[in-house]
Amino acid sequence: MRELVPNLVWIGNAHDLRDVKSVLGRGIAAVIDLAAEEPPVQYPRDTVYCRFPLVDSAGNAPWVLRLAIETTSRLIQSRVPALVACGGGMSRSPAIVAAALVRVEGISIEEALARIAAVGPHDPSPGLLADIRGLS
């Protein structure tokens, strides 16, 4: 699990997502699960758990992409500590967090991805990024 914005935004993988004790121990109040191929995780009732099943390529439903980005953006704007996770933590979660940062901070997606790269590896699917760029 990589902390992108101190005490606010973490990017993780399926293993991180399943380590409920570690997630809650960091003060994370909301979890965004993007891994279509993974089963949902059971969190305590007072933890917000949002599941937006995305595939790691082009072809995701635009409305699901919009919801994932908008939810992540709103959590950042509201200062709610959140984990955004996908299967490997390398493509979908960095792409969605980058798109959220574009909305919240008014930066380019390239700047957002560079910020994410500064805290750890990432490899967003070109198709997924193209779909995100194509949203209006």
Side-chain angles (χ1 to χ4, degrees):
M1 192 174 338
R2 301 180 311 272
E3 190 172 20
L4 178 63
V5 179
N7 301 309
L8 188 61
V9 180
W10 289 260
I11 294 174
N13 59 36
H15 175 74
D16 300 326
L17 192 64
R18 295 192 176 331
D19 189 354
V20 175
K21 186 175 181 177
S22 177
V23 170
L24 298 178
R26 293 172 192 262
I28 293 169
V31 174
I32 298 178
D33 179 357
L34 304 172
E37 72 282 4
E38 298 286 340
V41 179
Q42 184 70 40
Y43 273 85
R45 291 180 185 185
D46 60 344
T47 303
V48 172
Y49 177 81
C50 303
R51 182 167 167 78
F52 303 105
L54 299 176
V55 295
D56 193 18
S57 63
N60 289 288
W63 67 271
V64 178
L65 281 174
R66 279 190 198 96
L67 278 173
I69 295 164
E70 183 65 26
T71 301
T72 304
S73 300
R74 295 291 179 147
L75 290 169
I76 293 169
Q77 288 170 329
S78 299
R79 309 284 308 155
V80 176
L83 167 64
V84 182
C86 60
M90 298 286 288
S91 182
R92 289 164 285 185
S93 49
I96 294 300
V97 169
L101 290 174
V102 167
R103 286 180 177 226
V104 172
E105 298 182 2
I107 60 176
S108 71
I109 194 137
E110 291 77 17
E111 289 174 287
L113 288 170
R115 226 167 110 188
I116 291 167
V119 298
H122 73 292
D123 187 22
S125 157
L128 177 60
L129 285 177
D131 283 355
I132 289 170
R133 285 185 174 108
L135 295 174
S136 51

